[in-house]
Protein backbone atom coordinates (compact mmCIF):
# COMPACT_ATOMS: atom_id res chain seq x y z
CA UNK A 1 0.00 0.00 0.00
CA UNK A 2 1.30 3.44 -0.94
CA UNK A 3 2.07 5.58 2.11
CA UNK A 4 0.15 8.77 2.72
CA UNK A 5 2.13 11.86 1.56
CA UNK A 6 4.32 13.14 4.41
CA UNK A 7 3.33 16.78 3.93
CA UNK A 8 -0.33 15.77 4.06
CA UNK A 9 0.23 13.79 7.26
CA UNK A 10 2.08 16.73 8.83
CA UNK A 11 -0.74 19.15 7.95
CA UNK A 12 -3.44 16.87 9.36
CA UNK A 13 -1.49 16.21 12.58
CA UNK A 14 -0.99 19.94 13.14
CA UNK A 15 -4.65 20.85 12.59
CA UNK A 16 -6.73 20.55 15.81
CA UNK A 17 -9.97 20.85 13.77
CA UNK A 18 -9.45 17.49 12.07
CA UNK A 19 -10.86 14.55 14.07
CA UNK A 20 -8.52 11.98 15.54
CA UNK A 21 -8.04 8.72 13.65
CA UNK A 22 -8.59 10.34 10.24
CA UNK A 23 -5.17 9.19 9.05
CA UNK A 24 -5.82 5.66 10.31
CA UNK A 25 -9.20 5.54 8.56
CA UNK A 26 -7.61 6.45 5.21
CA UNK A 27 -5.80 3.11 5.26
CA UNK A 28 -9.07 1.20 5.61
CA UNK A 29 -11.43 0.04 2.87
CA UNK A 30 -13.81 2.59 1.41
CA UNK A 31 -17.57 1.86 1.59
CA UNK A 32 -19.50 0.99 -1.57
CA UNK A 33 -22.81 2.73 -2.19
CA UNK A 34 -25.35 3.05 -4.98
CA UNK A 35 -28.25 5.39 -5.67
CA UNK A 36 -31.29 3.76 -7.23
CA UNK A 37 -33.22 5.34 -10.07
CA UNK A 38 -36.48 6.83 -8.72
CA UNK A 39 -38.56 5.20 -11.48
CA UNK A 40 -36.76 1.94 -12.25
CA UNK A 41 -36.29 -1.42 -10.57
CA UNK A 42 -33.09 -2.89 -9.20
CA UNK A 43 -32.27 -5.24 -6.38
CA UNK A 44 -29.32 -5.62 -4.02
CA UNK A 45 -29.10 -7.96 -1.04
CA UNK A 46 -28.12 -6.99 2.50
CA UNK A 47 -28.17 -3.25 1.90
CA UNK A 48 -28.15 -0.46 4.47
CA UNK A 49 -29.88 2.87 3.68
CA UNK A 50 -27.79 6.00 3.27
CA UNK A 51 -29.49 8.23 5.91
CA UNK A 52 -29.47 11.44 3.88
CA UNK A 53 -30.67 10.13 0.53
CA UNK A 54 -34.05 8.61 -0.34
CA UNK A 55 -32.59 6.22 -2.92
CA UNK A 56 -29.08 5.66 -1.52
CA UNK A 57 -27.85 2.32 -0.15
CA UNK A 58 -24.59 0.91 1.16
CA UNK A 59 -23.60 -2.48 -0.22
CA UNK A 60 -21.78 -5.12 1.84
CA UNK A 61 -19.17 -5.48 -0.92
CA UNK A 62 -18.40 -3.99 -4.31
CA UNK A 63 -19.93 -6.06 -7.13
CA UNK A 64 -18.84 -5.95 -10.75
CA UNK A 65 -21.19 -3.23 -11.99
CA UNK A 66 -19.86 -3.61 -15.53
CA UNK A 67 -21.35 -7.09 -15.77
CA UNK A 68 -24.79 -6.12 -14.48
CA UNK A 69 -27.12 -5.25 -17.40
CA UNK A 70 -29.34 -3.24 -15.03
CA UNK A 71 -26.44 -0.85 -14.47
CA UNK A 72 -26.34 -0.30 -18.23
CA UNK A 73 -30.12 0.20 -18.20
CA UNK A 74 -29.77 3.15 -15.83
CA UNK A 75 -31.51 1.34 -12.97
CA UNK A 76 -28.95 2.67 -10.47
CA UNK A 77 -25.76 4.70 -10.25
CA UNK A 78 -22.71 3.82 -8.11
CA UNK A 79 -22.04 7.00 -6.14
CA UNK A 80 -20.02 7.99 -3.11
CA UNK A 81 -22.43 8.27 -0.20
CA UNK A 82 -21.34 11.71 0.99
CA UNK A 83 -22.05 13.29 -2.39
CA UNK A 84 -25.62 11.92 -2.22
CA UNK A 85 -26.22 14.57 0.47
CA UNK A 86 -26.87 16.92 -2.46
CA UNK A 87 -30.49 15.72 -2.30
CA UNK A 88 -30.82 17.25 1.18
CA UNK A 89 -29.35 20.53 -0.02
CA UNK A 90 -31.71 20.77 -2.99
CA UNK A 91 -34.72 20.01 -0.80
CA UNK A 92 -33.70 22.81 1.57
CA UNK A 93 -33.63 25.52 -1.12
CA UNK A 94 -36.60 27.79 -1.86
CA UNK A 95 -36.85 27.18 -5.60
CA UNK A 96 -39.35 28.24 -8.27
CA UNK A 97 -41.62 25.65 -9.84
CA UNK A 98 -39.25 25.33 -12.80
CA UNK A 99 -35.68 25.97 -11.64
CA UNK A 100 -32.78 26.43 -14.02
CA UNK A 101 -29.83 24.41 -12.69
CA UNK A 102 -26.25 24.25 -13.98
CA UNK A 103 -23.95 21.44 -12.87
CA UNK A 104 -20.66 23.05 -13.82
CA UNK A 105 -18.17 20.17 -13.61
CA UNK A 106 -20.61 17.35 -14.08
CA UNK A 107 -18.75 14.27 -15.37
CA UNK A 108 -19.15 11.39 -14.93
CA UNK A 109 -22.69 12.20 -13.85
CA UNK A 110 -23.33 11.28 -10.22
CA UNK A 111 -24.63 14.67 -9.16
CA UNK A 112 -26.33 15.35 -12.50
CA UNK A 113 -28.36 12.13 -12.42
CA UNK A 114 -29.33 12.95 -8.83
CA UNK A 115 -30.44 16.46 -9.88
CA UNK A 116 -32.41 15.07 -12.84
CA UNK A 117 -34.23 12.70 -10.50
CA UNK A 118 -34.89 15.53 -8.04
CA UNK A 119 -36.37 17.74 -10.77
CA UNK A 120 -38.70 15.00 -12.05
CA UNK A 121 -39.13 16.83 -15.37
CA UNK A 122 -39.52 20.29 -13.79
CA UNK A 123 -37.28 23.13 -14.93
CA UNK A 124 -34.11 22.39 -16.84
CA UNK A 125 -30.72 20.87 -16.01
CA UNK A 126 -27.64 21.96 -17.93
CA UNK A 127 -24.76 19.59 -17.23
CA UNK A 128 -21.38 20.96 -18.33
CA UNK A 129 -17.99 19.28 -18.55
CA UNK A 130 -14.81 21.00 -19.72
CA UNK A 131 -13.09 17.75 -20.77
CA UNK A 132 -14.51 16.56 -24.11
CA UNK A 133 -14.04 12.81 -23.58
CA UNK A 134 -15.51 12.99 -20.07
CA UNK A 135 -18.42 15.02 -21.47
CA UNK A 136 -19.31 12.07 -23.71
CA UNK A 137 -19.38 9.78 -20.65
CA UNK A 138 -21.60 12.33 -18.92
CA UNK A 139 -23.97 12.32 -21.91
CA UNK A 140 -24.14 8.53 -21.84
CA UNK A 141 -25.03 8.40 -18.16
CA UNK A 142 -27.66 11.12 -18.46
CA UNK A 143 -29.17 9.48 -21.55
CA UNK A 144 -29.52 6.26 -19.56
CA UNK A 145 -31.16 8.16 -16.70
CA UNK A 146 -33.99 8.93 -19.13
CA UNK A 147 -35.18 12.50 -18.49
CA UNK A 148 -35.94 14.87 -21.37
CA UNK A 149 -35.25 18.22 -19.65
CA UNK A 150 -31.48 17.61 -19.56
CA UNK A 151 -28.85 19.24 -21.77
CA UNK A 152 -25.10 18.46 -21.81
CA UNK A 153 -22.51 20.99 -22.98
CA UNK A 154 -18.72 21.12 -23.20
CA UNK A 155 -17.27 24.48 -22.10
CA UNK A 156 -14.76 26.25 -19.93
CA UNK A 157 -16.46 28.19 -17.12
CA UNK A 158 -15.52 31.47 -18.80
CA UNK A 159 -17.46 30.46 -21.94
CA UNK A 160 -20.87 30.24 -20.27
CA UNK A 161 -21.82 33.91 -20.30
CA UNK A 162 -25.01 33.05 -22.23
CA UNK A 163 -26.33 31.89 -18.84
CA UNK A 164 -25.54 35.17 -17.08
CA UNK A 165 -28.17 36.04 -14.48
CA UNK A 166 -30.35 33.07 -15.42
CA UNK A 167 -29.47 30.34 -12.90
CA UNK A 168 -31.56 29.44 -9.89
CA UNK A 169 -28.94 26.90 -8.78
CA UNK A 170 -25.26 26.61 -9.64
CA UNK A 171 -23.65 23.33 -8.55
CA UNK A 172 -19.85 23.35 -8.44
CA UNK A 173 -18.10 20.10 -7.60
CA UNK A 174 -14.77 21.86 -7.76
CA UNK A 175 -11.55 20.32 -9.10
CA UNK A 176 -9.54 19.65 -5.97
CA UNK A 177 -6.51 17.90 -4.51
CA UNK A 178 -8.60 14.77 -3.92
CA UNK A 179 -7.60 13.89 -0.37
CA UNK A 180 -10.94 12.14 0.10
CA UNK A 181 -9.89 9.71 -2.65
CA UNK A 182 -6.86 8.40 -0.74
CA UNK A 183 -8.70 5.29 0.44
CA UNK A 184 -9.87 3.90 -2.89
CA UNK A 185 -7.39 5.49 -5.31
CA UNK A 186 -3.80 5.04 -4.23
CA UNK A 187 -2.61 6.87 -7.32
CA UNK A 188 -4.18 9.98 -5.79
CA UNK A 189 -1.62 9.64 -3.01
CA UNK A 190 1.31 9.65 -5.40
CA UNK A 191 -0.05 12.66 -7.32
CA UNK A 192 -0.71 14.78 -4.21
CA UNK A 193 1.64 17.55 -3.08
CA UNK A 194 1.28 20.91 -1.37
CA UNK A 195 2.01 22.82 -4.56
CA UNK A 196 -0.79 21.00 -6.37
CA UNK A 197 -3.20 21.68 -3.49
CA UNK A 198 -2.34 25.39 -3.68
CA UNK A 199 -2.84 25.35 -7.45
CA UNK A 200 -6.25 23.74 -6.97
CA UNK A 201 -7.25 26.45 -4.51
CA UNK A 202 -6.20 29.17 -6.95
CA UNK A 203 -8.15 27.53 -9.77
CA UNK A 204 -11.23 27.22 -7.57
CA UNK A 205 -11.09 30.93 -6.80
CA UNK A 206 -10.89 31.72 -10.51
CA UNK A 207 -13.82 29.44 -11.30
CA UNK A 208 -16.01 30.98 -8.61
CA UNK A 209 -15.27 34.48 -9.87
CA UNK A 210 -16.02 33.44 -13.46
CA UNK A 211 -19.38 31.82 -12.78
CA UNK A 212 -20.79 33.87 -9.90
CA UNK A 213 -22.45 36.29 -12.40
CA UNK A 214 -24.44 33.35 -13.85
CA UNK A 215 -26.62 33.25 -10.73
CA UNK A 216 -29.80 35.28 -10.39
CA UNK A 217 -30.21 37.48 -7.35
CA UNK A 218 -31.61 35.04 -4.81
CA UNK A 219 -30.08 32.08 -6.63
CA UNK A 220 -28.06 29.42 -4.85
CA UNK A 221 -24.45 28.26 -5.09
CA UNK A 222 -23.85 24.65 -4.00
CA UNK A 223 -20.12 24.10 -3.58
CA UNK A 224 -18.46 20.75 -2.88
CA UNK A 225 -15.11 18.96 -3.03
CA UNK A 226 -13.65 15.58 -2.10
CA UNK A 227 -10.79 17.04 -0.08
CA UNK A 228 -10.10 18.02 3.56
CA UNK A 229 -8.06 21.15 2.82
CA UNK A 230 -9.80 24.27 4.24
CA UNK A 231 -8.15 26.46 1.58
CA UNK A 232 -10.10 24.49 -1.02
CA UNK A 233 -13.30 24.40 1.04
CA UNK A 234 -14.73 26.99 3.45
CA UNK A 235 -12.02 29.54 2.74
CA UNK A 236 -13.17 29.65 -0.89
CA UNK A 237 -16.58 30.91 0.26
CA UNK A 238 -15.42 33.37 2.91
CA UNK A 239 -15.00 36.37 0.58
CA UNK A 240 -18.61 36.11 -0.65
CA UNK A 241 -19.83 36.25 2.95
CA UNK A 242 -17.44 38.99 4.07
CA UNK A 243 -18.26 41.13 1.02
CA UNK A 244 -21.97 40.85 1.78
CA UNK A 245 -22.90 39.44 -1.63
CA UNK A 246 -24.14 36.12 -0.23
CA UNK A 247 -25.61 34.58 2.87
CA UNK A 248 -25.22 31.13 4.38
CA UNK A 249 -27.87 28.48 3.77
CA UNK A 250 -28.57 26.41 6.87
CA UNK A 251 -28.40 22.75 5.88
CA UNK A 252 -29.77 19.73 7.76
CA UNK A 253 -27.22 17.83 9.84
CA UNK A 254 -26.91 14.07 10.24
CA UNK A 255 -24.94 12.16 12.83
CA UNK A 256 -21.22 12.27 12.07
CA UNK A 257 -21.25 15.40 9.88
CA UNK A 258 -18.89 18.11 11.17
CA UNK A 259 -19.55 21.84 10.66
CA UNK A 260 -16.63 23.59 8.98
CA UNK A 261 -14.47 26.23 10.65
CA UNK A 262 -16.78 29.07 9.57
CA UNK A 263 -20.13 27.28 9.95
CA UNK A 264 -20.60 27.62 6.18
CA UNK A 265 -20.99 23.93 5.39
CA UNK A 266 -20.12 20.41 6.47
CA UNK A 267 -17.29 17.91 6.32
CA UNK A 268 -17.87 14.19 5.92
CA UNK A 269 -14.76 12.78 7.62
CA UNK A 270 -14.45 9.02 6.96
CA UNK A 271 -13.59 8.19 10.56
CA UNK A 272 -16.79 9.89 11.76
CA UNK A 273 -19.32 9.03 9.05
CA UNK A 274 -19.67 6.35 6.37
CA UNK A 275 -18.17 8.31 3.48
CA UNK A 276 -14.94 8.43 1.54
CA UNK A 277 -14.41 12.09 2.45
CA UNK A 278 -16.50 15.03 1.28
CA UNK A 279 -17.20 18.73 1.86
CA UNK A 280 -20.34 20.66 0.90
CA UNK A 281 -21.83 24.10 1.52
CA UNK A 282 -24.53 26.33 0.06
CA UNK A 283 -24.78 30.11 -0.29
CA UNK A 284 -27.62 32.32 -1.48
CA UNK A 285 -26.73 35.27 -3.70
CA UNK A 286 -27.93 38.55 -2.20
CA UNK A 287 -26.45 41.13 -4.56
CA UNK A 288 -28.42 42.42 -7.57
CA UNK A 289 -27.34 41.33 -11.02
CA UNK A 290 -25.66 43.80 -13.32
CA UNK A 291 -28.06 45.09 -15.97
CA UNK A 292 -28.01 42.95 -19.05
CA UNK A 293 -29.87 43.08 -22.30
CA UNK A 294 -32.43 40.35 -22.78
CA UNK A 295 -30.82 37.33 -24.46
CA UNK A 296 -31.66 36.82 -28.11
CA UNK A 297 -33.64 33.69 -28.79
CA UNK A 298 -32.66 31.50 -31.70
CA UNK A 299 -35.46 30.30 -33.96
CA UNK A 300 -36.33 26.61 -33.72
CA UNK A 301 -38.19 24.38 -36.13
CA UNK A 302 -40.75 23.08 -33.66
CA UNK A 303 -43.36 20.39 -34.02
CA UNK A 304 -43.49 16.67 -34.67
CA UNK A 305 -43.65 15.36 -38.25
CA UNK A 306 -46.87 13.41 -38.82
CA UNK A 307 -45.15 10.35 -40.27
CA UNK A 308 -42.94 10.16 -37.16
CA UNK A 309 -45.75 10.80 -34.65
CA UNK A 310 -47.45 7.55 -35.64
CA UNK A 311 -44.50 5.61 -34.20
CA UNK A 312 -44.48 7.33 -30.81
CA UNK A 313 -46.35 7.51 -27.53
CA UNK A 314 -45.68 10.43 -25.18
CA UNK A 315 -47.39 12.66 -22.60
CA UNK A 316 -48.96 15.93 -23.71
CA UNK A 317 -46.36 18.05 -21.87
CA UNK A 318 -43.57 16.90 -24.20
CA UNK A 319 -42.61 19.22 -27.04
CA UNK A 320 -40.59 18.43 -30.18
CA UNK A 321 -38.19 20.30 -32.43
CA UNK A 322 -35.93 19.46 -35.36
CA UNK A 323 -32.30 20.40 -36.06
CA UNK A 324 -31.04 19.32 -39.47
CA UNK A 325 -32.07 15.65 -39.83
CA UNK A 326 -32.67 14.98 -36.11
CA UNK A 327 -35.81 15.30 -34.01
CA UNK A 328 -35.59 15.96 -30.26
CA UNK A 329 -38.06 16.08 -27.38
CA UNK A 330 -38.11 18.03 -24.13
CA UNK A 331 -40.55 19.71 -21.75
CA UNK A 332 -42.43 22.90 -22.58
CA UNK A 333 -40.37 24.93 -20.10
CA UNK A 334 -37.04 23.55 -21.34
CA UNK A 335 -37.94 24.15 -24.98
CA UNK A 336 -38.81 27.76 -24.19
CA UNK A 337 -35.46 28.20 -22.40
CA UNK A 338 -33.22 26.34 -24.86
CA UNK A 339 -33.20 28.96 -27.69
CA UNK A 340 -31.51 31.45 -25.35
CA UNK A 341 -28.48 29.17 -25.03
CA UNK A 342 -28.62 27.27 -28.32
CA UNK A 343 -25.21 28.60 -29.41
CA UNK A 344 -23.43 26.69 -26.67
CA UNK A 345 -21.62 23.50 -27.68
CA UNK A 346 -24.11 20.78 -26.80
CA UNK A 347 -23.46 17.06 -26.85
CA UNK A 348 -26.96 16.24 -25.68
CA UNK A 349 -30.16 18.25 -26.09
CA UNK A 350 -33.19 16.71 -24.43
CA UNK A 351 -34.11 13.30 -25.82
CA UNK A 352 -32.90 12.39 -29.32
CA UNK A 353 -36.06 10.83 -30.74
CA UNK A 354 -35.22 10.08 -34.37
CA UNK A 355 -32.97 10.73 -37.36
CA UNK A 356 -34.43 11.13 -40.84
CA UNK A 357 -33.12 9.01 -43.69
CA UNK A 358 -34.19 8.88 -47.34
CA UNK A 359 -37.37 6.86 -46.83
CA UNK A 360 -38.25 6.85 -43.14
CA UNK A 361 -36.99 7.44 -39.60
CA UNK A 362 -34.33 5.70 -37.51
CA UNK A 363 -35.01 5.70 -33.75
CA UNK A 364 -32.59 7.82 -31.72
CA UNK A 365 -30.71 5.75 -29.17
CA UNK A 366 -32.07 7.85 -26.29
CA UNK A 367 -35.39 6.11 -27.02
CA UNK A 368 -34.02 2.94 -25.39
CA UNK A 369 -33.91 4.63 -21.98
CA UNK A 370 -36.43 7.48 -22.23
CA UNK A 371 -38.96 7.61 -19.41
CA UNK A 372 -41.46 9.75 -21.30
CA UNK A 373 -41.29 9.31 -25.07
CA UNK A 374 -41.60 5.74 -26.33
CA UNK A 375 -41.19 4.29 -29.81
CA UNK A 376 -43.64 1.49 -30.60
CA UNK A 377 -40.99 -1.18 -31.03
CA UNK A 378 -41.15 -4.92 -30.64
CA UNK A 379 -39.16 -6.42 -27.78
CA UNK A 380 -36.58 -9.20 -27.65
CA UNK A 381 -36.16 -10.52 -24.10
CA UNK A 382 -32.78 -11.95 -23.15
CA UNK A 383 -31.08 -13.63 -20.21
CA UNK A 384 -27.80 -12.58 -18.62
CA UNK A 385 -25.34 -14.22 -21.04
CA UNK A 386 -26.95 -12.82 -24.18
CA UNK A 387 -27.54 -9.46 -22.53
CA UNK A 388 -23.81 -9.09 -21.85
CA UNK A 389 -22.95 -10.27 -25.37
CA UNK A 390 -25.19 -7.59 -26.86
CA UNK A 391 -23.76 -4.93 -24.53
CA UNK A 392 -20.35 -6.14 -25.73
CA UNK A 393 -21.44 -5.27 -29.28
CA UNK A 394 -22.12 -8.73 -30.70
CA UNK A 395 -24.66 -9.45 -33.44
CA UNK A 396 -26.40 -12.84 -33.50
CA UNK A 397 -28.33 -15.11 -35.81
CA UNK A 398 -32.03 -14.63 -35.17
CA UNK A 399 -35.20 -15.40 -37.12
CA UNK A 400 -37.71 -12.58 -36.74
CA UNK A 401 -39.52 -9.98 -38.87
CA UNK A 402 -37.32 -7.13 -40.08
CA UNK A 403 -37.23 -3.94 -38.07
CA UNK A 404 -35.93 -2.33 -34.88
CA UNK A 405 -36.20 -4.16 -31.54
CA UNK A 406 -35.64 -3.16 -27.95
CA UNK A 407 -33.51 -5.61 -25.99
CA UNK A 408 -34.92 -6.18 -22.52
CA UNK A 409 -33.29 -7.82 -19.53
CA UNK A 410 -35.53 -8.40 -16.51
CA UNK A 411 -38.20 -6.23 -18.21
CA UNK A 412 -35.88 -3.24 -18.56
CA UNK A 413 -34.52 -1.97 -21.87
CA UNK A 414 -30.75 -2.20 -22.18
CA UNK A 415 -30.06 -1.85 -25.93
CA UNK A 416 -31.54 -1.69 -29.45
CA UNK A 417 -30.91 -3.87 -32.51
CA UNK A 418 -32.07 -3.91 -36.12
CA UNK A 419 -33.22 -7.22 -37.56
CA UNK A 420 -32.12 -7.82 -41.16
CA UNK A 421 -32.63 -11.20 -42.83
CA UNK A 422 -31.57 -14.01 -40.51
CA UNK A 423 -29.63 -11.90 -38.01
CA UNK A 424 -29.76 -8.62 -36.15
CA UNK A 425 -27.32 -5.74 -36.35
CA UNK A 426 -26.21 -4.42 -32.97
CA UNK A 427 -26.92 -0.67 -32.66
CA UNK A 428 -25.44 -0.23 -29.19
CA UNK A 429 -23.00 2.72 -29.45
CA UNK A 430 -19.41 1.59 -29.81
CA UNK A 431 -18.12 3.82 -27.03
CA UNK A 432 -20.75 2.45 -24.61
CA UNK A 433 -19.91 -1.21 -25.12
CA UNK A 434 -18.41 -3.54 -22.53
CA UNK A 435 -14.78 -4.05 -23.49
CA UNK A 436 -14.41 -7.57 -22.14
CA UNK A 437 -16.88 -10.28 -21.25
CA UNK A 438 -16.56 -12.16 -17.93
CA UNK A 439 -14.50 -15.33 -18.09
Amino acid sequence: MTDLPKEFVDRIQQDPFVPEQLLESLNQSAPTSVRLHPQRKSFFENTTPVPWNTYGYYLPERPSFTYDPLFHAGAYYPQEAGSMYLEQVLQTLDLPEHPVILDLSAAPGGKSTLIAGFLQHRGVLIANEINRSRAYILSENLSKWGYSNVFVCNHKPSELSALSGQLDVLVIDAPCSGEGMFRKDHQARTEWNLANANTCAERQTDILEEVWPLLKEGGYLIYSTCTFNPEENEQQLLSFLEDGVASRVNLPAFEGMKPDRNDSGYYFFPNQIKSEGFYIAALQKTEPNARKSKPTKAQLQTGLPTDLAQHLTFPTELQFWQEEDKVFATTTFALDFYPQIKNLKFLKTGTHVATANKKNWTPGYDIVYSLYVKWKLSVKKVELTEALQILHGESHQWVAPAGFYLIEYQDQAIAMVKQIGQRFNNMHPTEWRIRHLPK
Side-chain angles (χ1 to χ4, degrees):
M1 181 180 292
T2 306
D3 291 337
L4 292 167
K6 183 178 184 305
E7 291 176 312
F8 169 76
V9 172
D10 291 343
R11 193 195 80 206
I12 295 299
Q13 290 177 335
Q14 294 167 16
D15 188 350
F17 173 83
V18 178
E20 295 181 3
Q21 287 83 48
L22 171 63
L23 296 174
E24 179 183 345
S25 72
L26 293 178
N27 287 318
Q28 299 169 355
S29 298
T32 297
S33 50
V34 296
R35 180 172 41 78
L36 309 185
H37 193 293
Q39 296 176 247
R40 294 198 170 117
K41 296 179 181 179
S42 54
F43 178 76
F44 294 94
E45 294 182 339
N46 303 317
T47 60
T48 305
V50 174
W52 47 84
N53 189 279
T54 308
Y55 304 102
Y57 293 88
Y58 295 105
L59 306 184
E61 58 186 8
R62 188 176 186 86
S64 178
F65 297 119
T66 300
Y67 299 138
D68 181 3
L70 295 184
F71 166 65
H72 297 275
Y76 63 89
Y77 191 97
Q79 185 177 13
E80 197 280 311
S83 64
M84 296 185 200
Y85 179 78
L86 176 61
E87 178 189 66
Q88 295 290 328
V89 180
L90 292 168
Q91 291 175 346
T92 300
L93 307 182
D94 183 14
L95 297 176
E97 180 182 0
H98 291 289
V100 178
I101 301 181
L102 170 65
D103 188 356
L104 183 68
S105 305
K111 292 183 176 64
S112 285
T113 53
L114 186 154
I115 296 167
F118 165 79
L119 287 174
Q120 287 291 302
H121 249 199
R122 296 177 298 114
V124 62
L125 168 62
I126 304 160
N128 178 72
E129 173 56 42
I130 187 173
N131 181 289
R132 187 77 172 179
S133 61
R134 284 171 56 82
Y136 281 112
I137 297 171
L138 172 65
S139 295
E140 174 188 349
N141 287 326
L142 282 169
S143 289
K144 291 178 176 178
W145 217 242
Y147 293 94
S148 296
N149 60 333
V150 175
F151 297 73
V152 176
C153 58
N154 170 223
H155 284 280
K156 299 176 183 177
S158 59
E159 297 173 341
L160 294 169
S161 59
L163 291 165
S164 183
Q166 299 193 67
L167 298 181
D168 295 293
V169 182
L170 169 59
V171 179
I172 302 179
D173 190 34
C176 69
S177 56
E179 296 163 0
M181 306 292 288
F182 283 174
R183 282 206 290 186
K184 73 172 187 179
D185 183 1
H186 283 227
Q187 186 175 351
R189 301 183 178 201
T190 63
E191 294 175 350
W192 187 96
N193 58 66
L194 280 178
N196 183 47
N198 292 335
T199 299
C200 287
E202 293 170 0
R203 179 60 183 139
Q204 292 161 355
T205 301
D206 291 342
I207 290 172
L208 285 166
E209 290 178 354
E210 288 169 343
V211 298
W212 183 252
L214 306 185
L215 277 171
K216 299 175 180 176
E217 180 180 1
Y220 298 92
L221 167 69
I222 302 174
Y223 180 86
S224 64
T225 73
C226 59
T227 199
F228 310 120
N229 180 13
E231 293 183 0
E232 300 175 65
N233 294 331
E234 61 264 46
Q235 290 185 28
Q236 288 294 327
L237 307 178
L238 196 56
S239 64
F240 293 101
L241 298 169
E242 291 178 340
D243 293 345
V245 299
S247 60
R248 295 177 177 85
V249 176
N250 293 322
L251 302 176
F254 290 77
E255 183 178 358
M257 293 168 55
K258 183 176 176 65
D260 68 31
R261 297 161 180 85
N262 302 327
D263 285 328
S264 303
Y266 287 101
Y267 280 91
F268 289 65
F269 285 111
N271 61 314
Q272 291 192 323
I273 198 167
K274 204 169 178 183
S275 168
E276 292 175 11
F278 185 64
Y279 172 82
I280 192 167
L283 302 181
Q284 185 172 26
K285 185 175 182 178
T286 57
E287 67 171 338
N289 293 317
R291 289 185 176 272
K292 249 190 88 113
S293 58
K294 191 174 181 180
T296 302
K297 286 191 175 185
Q299 294 298 313
L300 292 181
Q301 182 182 341
T302 58
L304 180 62
T306 304
D307 59 338
L308 175 58
Q310 64 182 340
H311 297 294
L312 306 176
T313 60
F314 53 90
T316 55
E317 64 265 25
L318 271 194
Q319 303 292 322
F320 297 83
W321 81 100
Q322 188 166 351
E323 294 184 37
E324 297 178 346
D325 61 345
K326 292 181 172 59
V327 173
F328 301 90
T330 191
T331 60
T332 300
F333 178 86
L335 186 59
D336 183 60
F337 184 82
Y338 172 59
Q340 303 175 40
I341 57 173
K342 185 176 180 297
N343 290 332
L344 294 177
K345 296 182 293 185
F346 284 105
L347 279 67
K348 174 178 173 60
T349 51
T351 297
H352 176 205
V353 176
T355 301
N357 53 42
K358 291 181 179 180
K359 295 182 179 180
N360 47 34
W361 297 91
T362 298
Y365 212 76
D366 285 354
I367 288 293
V368 176
Y369 313 101
S370 175
L371 295 168
Y372 296 94
V373 56
K374 303 291 185 181
W375 195 296
K376 301 170 187 175
L377 297 179
S378 298
V379 170
K380 175 178 170 60
K381 294 184 177 293
V382 297
E383 299 299 324
L384 178 60
T385 298
E386 188 174 7
L388 293 177
Q389 290 171 345
I390 291 172
L391 291 169
H392 184 237
E394 296 180 17
S395 295
H396 293 166
Q397 296 290 328
W398 187 41
V399 179
F404 297 99
Y405 288 78
L406 288 177
I407 302 298
E408 286 190 356
Y409 172 79
Q410 295 187 1
D411 297 324
Q412 298 193 62
I414 62 170
M416 183 164 55
V417 299
K418 184 177 183 181
Q419 177 69 10
I420 301 175
Q422 301 299 306
R423 64 182 294 109
F424 63 75
N425 286 345
N426 195 324
M427 298 180 65
H428 200 57
T430 303
E431 60 274 17
W432 296 10
R433 295 177 181 179
I434 299 173
R435 294 186 180 182
H436 306 285
L437 291 175
K439 296 179 179 180

